[in-house]
Amino acid sequence: MSATPPPAATARRWPWLGEFLAGEARAWVYVGKCVLAIFLTGWLAMWLQLEKPSTAMLTVIVVMHPQSGMVLAKSFYRVLGTLTGSLFGLALMSAFPQQRELFLFLLALWVALCAGGATLYRNFMAYSFVLAGYTAVIVVLPAISDPRQIFDSAVMRVSEVLLGIGVTAVVSDLILPQRLRVLLRHSAQGQFAHFIDLVREATRGVLPRERLEEAHLDIMRAAIQLENLRASVIFEDPEVLARSARMRLLNQRYMAAATTLQSLHHLVNRLKRRGRDAVVTALVELYRPIGEALDVPQRHEPAVLEERLRACLAAFPAHLAPLREHFEEHAARLEFDTGAALVERLLEELIGYTGAEAALRSGQPLRGSVERVRFRRGNDLVGAAVAVARTFLTMTALSLFWLASAWPSGANTMLMATVFSGLLATSPNPVLSASRTLYGYAIGFLAGLVMEFYLLPSSEGYGMLVLACAGLMMIGPYLQTRPALAGMGSGYSLGVIGLTSISNPMVYDAVQFFNTGLSQLGGVGLSLVSFMTIPGIAGSRWQQRRVLRLLRREVERAARAPLDGLAWSFESATRDLLQQVVSGTRPGSELLAWALSVQETGRTLIELRQDLAETALDAPARLAIDRALTAVAQLYEAPDASRWLEADAAVLAAIHAAPAGAAVRLHLYQLRSALRDEESPLAPYQPRPAAGASPHAP
Amino acid sequence: MPHEIVVYGVLIPGLLPIFLAALVVMAVIDTALARRGLYRKVWHPSLLRLALFTCLFCAGGLLLIR
């Protein structure tokens, strides 16, 4: 079931009109669902005699989203956040009912910590944190002059929010639902096709570095988008939930194959630049069958591709042996073997990836064991600290002002400022979002004025109320369907519903209306001011530098952390870190180059350590390899010329110490070749070929 | 079963534990049905899920007032 398609004749003659009509139909379905959910909630809240039906109605506006999976995910986290916040509010009030200053200080601290926690997550988990913060404020403030009311206040708040959430979830999931699952399937298949095309293109010729960086960015975005979608769709579709572990596995295999592809290409490019043409030709010959295996008429059919890749792997040793015989010389053989090991790994990972995709599409169980995998997030604690500081300062300043002025509506201002500084902190451009919300809120204020003092007094009964208000209510959800106006739309809806505060019996109090309205507008404005004075760090140069450092520290983790599950967590964390600054990153920037280098080196280190754990080596070799690991980790921690020399020497010593023909040795060679890459960001630290002429040398 | 349960001096409706139990049972049924792919053969899966849950919860509720 989807929105009604436009008439075929119109669509053919004016294609843009067809598109426009389809978009409009989708938008109006959303508006209809929104308004239905709002009024249904309002009616139920009055019927159940809840204190503030408007809170339940506001919840609808906050949770509603065109896609039902998003609504359910957001609802789930909202419930969690509301319960936590209420419990904390309750505990705080019972602990400090008399000491106002201490009480407000702790409240501000709690909200600030929650706001900080929210910046550590980039999906709805963040929302849970924000809610846990401001729900405590909402629960506590009405009862601040009479602490005995706190329990009722908390129960009312929770009931109203739960009612709103329940109605929204049911309405959005039952009536003309727009499934997120469809989007997930499309993007997963698109990602698969895109990657297979990339591999095919890459195994035919050599890709230039810029193209590879671009592909790397795409792959990273796709992997993270898939993870975020998966985390929301599991609420909508029990089938996706049942296969959730498999989707995670697919994503991890995808990242693994992408990294190996990059490593292989960097290796080939380096050999080429160094004039090792014989080795390069042999390697190109070696991986050509992969491209041929992928080049079939059904080019994006995973089951077909998997069969062909398996055949390719079976023929691999026979294909490898004659090519290897050409290389008698020791160094050339090492180079070739390193490349061959990478090609074989790429082949194995491609089989795993296509196999997982095929199993997912057909619904068959996956062959072999399914490892437990997790998408690890890479987090920037300083970013969180900035959010904590901003929220804390805003709250404290407002509390002090409120205490000093004894302004009756001070609580409102504080509430709105808290809510918005929490909610908008995670948006990419909080100042813009806050100003849009402020405009929307101001318009909503005027609409609320019209509604409360012109439309409502002349309407009798709930049916008349719906008829009178529906027109003005529709404006907000309609604005929300336009991406540029979405913030304004929600601001408007919050303004209209919050200020009119429909209740039973209705209270018409012009003075209170203006007091509340102006104080809330002031609150939204103050959150805007706080964003202007303490800017978010997203996209700033400072953050880029910090992320760069965190990225490089991942290499150290690859060299030190326990091996169990490290490969997966390394792949996801590096990508997630890069994602945080990616909006301001162009292909070719320093950050991207570092990300590629970190990924190649880190992955090699992990593989090296896995080999080390599996093979029996004598003590001197083990010691030499350990020293090499430490030296490389130190180099990435704070790169400079002397550390580069140290790392290079340590790796070379380890190569000499390792027994010939061991897999450890190939990984060590790959490590050395990555260190000596002239195009990597490590290049400035390498000594120039003209002896001692490097400006970086001490 | 009692209509209201006392937890540390706070009265909690007896329907609440029944609601939570219904959620757990529902999750089990959900997973079982989804693993067999039965939801693909249903016209409106979410309607079916809601109806199933309502049946479970109401059955529990009836036990309470009996």
Side-chain angles (χ1 to χ4, degrees):
Chain A
M1 297 224 285
S2 65
T4 28
T10 338
R12 232 180 302 125
R13 209 175 299 161
W14 296 304
W16 59 268
L17 185 63
E19 247 166 62
F20 173 74
L21 285 181
E24 276 309 277
R26 256 193 312 260
W28 283 105
V29 165
Y30 174 67
V31 172
K33 280 161 76 174
C34 249
V35 173
L36 176 70
I38 290 173
F39 285 118
L40 197 60
T41 309
W43 184 77
L44 278 173
M46 287 184 184
W47 182 63
L48 294 170
Q49 297 183 336
L50 297 184
E51 210 169 78
K52 281 191 205 150
S54 58
T55 305
M57 292 159 94
L58 280 176
T59 305
V60 177
I61 280 297
V62 174
V63 178
M64 204 64 175
H65 190 275
Q67 263 126 1
S68 53
M70 292 289 189
V71 175
L72 297 177
K74 206 170 177 184
S75 303
F76 176 77
Y77 288 114
R78 192 173 170 102
V79 171
L80 279 189
T82 306
L83 290 178
T84 320
S86 305
L87 282 178
F88 181 81
L90 214 57
L92 192 61
M93 190 57 114
S94 9
F96 305 102
Q98 305 294 330
Q99 295 102 325
R100 226 177 182 185
E101 288 76 14
L102 195 56
F103 173 82
L104 282 175
F105 170 76
L106 282 176
L107 190 63
L109 197 62
W110 165 256
V111 177
L113 286 178
C114 286
T119 61
L120 296 184
Y121 294 90
R122 271 160 297 288
N123 55 6
F124 286 124
M125 218 93 94
Y127 187 64
S128 239
F129 270 96
V130 174
L131 263 165
Y134 76 69
T135 301
V137 182
I138 291 178
V139 164
V140 154
L141 286 187
I144 202 157
S145 48
D146 184 5
R148 275 167 304 174
Q149 278 180 3
I150 178 74
F151 186 72
D152 292 336
S153 164
V155 168
M156 270 301 158
R157 169 77 191 170
V158 171
S159 322
E160 283 152 3
V161 168
L162 289 188
L163 176 71
I165 285 173
V167 173
T168 317
V170 168
V171 166
S172 75
D173 207 31
L174 288 190
I175 300 169
L176 300 176
Q178 277 187 35
R179 295 282 174 210
L180 204 56
R181 185 184 57 210
V182 183
L183 189 66
L184 176 69
R185 201 165 54 212
H186 276 173
S187 67
Q189 291 185 0
Q191 177 188 329
F192 180 78
H194 189 235
F195 184 62
I196 292 293
D197 286 342
L198 180 75
V199 176
R200 191 186 308 123
E201 199 183 321
T203 44
R204 277 206 200 124
V206 176
L207 288 172
R209 197 179 177 101
E210 299 79 54
R211 175 83 177 76
L212 204 65
E213 282 186 2
E214 227 169 80
H216 177 73
L217 259 183
D218 286 344
I219 285 168
M220 177 212 66
R221 282 205 192 101
I224 288 166
Q225 192 204 8
L226 207 67
E227 166 63 17
N228 284 343
L229 268 178
R230 185 201 61 76
S232 294
V233 177
I234 53 172
F235 290 98
E236 166 191 290
D237 191 337
E239 216 169 306
V240 176
L241 177 62
R243 294 202 200 146
S244 180
R246 230 180 292 170
M247 290 219 57
R248 275 189 178 150
L249 186 72
L250 175 79
N251 209 359
Q252 302 285 16
R253 287 189 176 169
Y254 170 64
M255 293 192 283
T259 306
T260 309
L261 182 72
Q262 270 160 24
S263 303
L264 178 62
H265 268 269
H266 286 190
L267 185 75
V268 170
N269 281 349
R270 282 194 290 263
L271 288 173
K272 208 171 198 177
R273 277 199 302 275
R274 223 161 285 155
R276 315 287 295 184
D277 287 331
V279 182
V280 171
T281 322
L283 283 177
V284 169
E285 190 55 41
L286 191 63
Y287 63 62
R288 192 185 303 276
I290 300 181
E292 282 161 12
L294 294 178
D295 204 3
V296 277
Q298 318 95 313
R299 33 181 50 188
H300 300 140
E301 202 52 59
V304 179
L305 295 180
E306 192 198 354
E307 281 312 307
R308 291 180 62 99
L309 285 170
R310 275 184 193 283
C312 189
L313 184 66
F316 187 76
H319 186 53
L320 174 71
L323 286 170
R324 192 167 186 265
E325 271 168 17
H326 290 303
F327 302 107
E328 294 294 326
E329 187 207 346
H330 178 74
R333 178 159 270 200
L334 189 59
E335 283 162 1
F336 178 77
D337 281 351
T338 309
L342 274 177
V343 173
E344 194 178 356
R345 195 168 88 202
L346 176 66
L347 199 50
E348 276 162 7
E349 279 167 357
L350 279 176
I351 289 173
Y353 177 51
T354 47
E357 175 77 17
L360 210 57
R361 284 196 199 177
S362 64
Q364 297 300 314
L366 205 59
R367 274 183 241 178
S369 68
V370 176
E371 199 179 333
R372 216 178 146 62
V373 287
R374 252 188 205 295
F375 195 98
R376 197 175 72 91
R377 302 283 182 172
N379 281 326
D380 184 3
L381 288 178
V382 176
V386 172
V388 171
R390 181 194 312 114
T391 315
F392 183 73
L393 286 179
T394 315
M395 291 273 301
T396 316
L398 282 175
S399 309
L400 288 178
F401 176 71
W402 185 30
L403 289 183
S405 68
W407 181 25
S409 304
N412 273 323
T413 310
M414 198 161 150
L415 202 77
M416 289 309 266
T418 315
V419 170
F420 281 101
S421 59
L423 276 183
L424 300 177
T426 45
S427 81
N429 186 349
V431 175
L432 188 68
S433 315
S435 60
R436 279 192 180 145
T437 310
L438 186 62
Y439 294 143
Y441 206 90
I443 304 172
F445 179 77
L446 298 179
L449 205 62
V450 174
M451 200 145 105
E452 180 152 346
F453 298 106
Y454 184 69
L455 295 175
L456 281 184
S458 46
S459 60
E460 199 172 298
Y462 200 71
M464 281 299 280
L465 179 142
V466 172
L467 281 181
C469 303
L472 282 176
M473 286 287 197
M474 278 178 187
I475 297 174
Y478 186 74
L479 288 180
Q480 276 181 316
T481 62
R482 306 280 160 238
L485 300 173
M488 226 165 137
S490 43
Y492 172 89
S493 298
L494 293 179
V496 164
I497 298 176
L499 288 178
T500 317
S501 75
I502 292 169
S503 58
N504 192 25
M506 191 69 199
V507 184
Y508 299 100
D509 184 347
V511 175
Q512 205 203 334
F513 183 93
F514 277 96
N515 266 342
T516 318
L518 291 176
S519 62
Q520 292 192 351
L521 257 180
V524 182
L526 277 171
S527 79
L528 174 64
V529 171
S530 80
F531 282 122
M532 282 165 148
T533 39
I534 309 180
I537 57 159
S540 64
R541 292 200 72 81
W542 183 66
Q543 190 205 18
Q544 290 204 359
R545 269 205 306 278
R546 286 197 45 76
V547 169
L548 191 62
R549 210 170 308 144
L550 287 175
L551 255 177
R552 288 201 304 246
R553 200 163 294 159
E554 284 295 310
V555 173
E556 203 196 336
R557 233 170 55 80
R560 294 262 162 274
L563 265 179
D564 190 33
L566 180 61
W568 296 140
S569 83
F570 173 78
E571 296 274 353
S572 45
T574 45
R575 283 180 172 80
D576 194 52
L577 270 175
L578 191 56
Q579 161 80 8
Q580 289 174 46
V581 285
V582 90
S583 48
T585 314
R586 296 171 312 283
S589 86
E590 188 197 28
L591 200 61
L592 247 168
W594 270 110
L596 283 172
S597 159
V598 162
Q599 236 152 32
E600 185 179 357
T601 308
R603 182 77 193 275
T604 315
L605 286 180
I606 293 171
E607 303 262 339
L608 180 64
R609 290 180 56 204
Q610 274 164 356
D611 289 341
L612 209 56
E614 280 162 17
T615 47
L617 284 181
D618 51 345
R622 226 165 244 283
L623 199 66
I625 293 174
D626 258 355
R627 222 171 266 149
L629 283 174
T630 315
V632 172
Q634 277 171 353
L635 169 67
Y636 272 85
E637 201 195 332
D640 64 26
S642 66
R643 284 187 175 189
W644 187 90
L645 284 174
E646 233 167 77
D648 191 54
V651 175
L652 190 65
I655 292 180
H656 287 316
V664 182
R665 197 159 179 190
L666 299 183
H667 284 130
L668 281 170
Y669 176 74
Q670 196 192 337
L671 203 58
R672 180 148 191 265
S673 136
L675 280 181
R676 311 201 120 211
D677 189 343
E678 301 91 342
E679 282 188 5
S680 91
L682 286 175
Y685 309 111
Q686 299 165 6
R688 293 284 154 84
S694 167
H696 298 281
Chain B
M1 241 180 115
H3 286 210
E4 281 181 326
I5 305 166
V6 185
V7 179
Y8 295 112
V10 177
L11 284 180
I12 284 177
L15 277 178
L16 193 66
I18 288 182
F19 181 82
L20 293 179
L23 274 183
V24 173
V25 176
M26 185 65 201
V28 173
I29 296 178
D30 236 13
T31 324
L33 290 184
R35 275 191 194 278
R36 309 204 164 217
L38 283 177
Y39 279 126
R40 273 185 251 171
K41 301 189 171 114
V42 175
W43 166 65
H44 200 319
S46 13
L47 192 59
L48 177 78
R49 288 171 82 197
L50 183 68
L52 256 176
F53 179 75
T54 314
C55 290
L56 283 174
F57 182 44
C58 289
L62 284 177
L63 283 179
L64 186 74
I65 56 168
R66 201 167 58 93

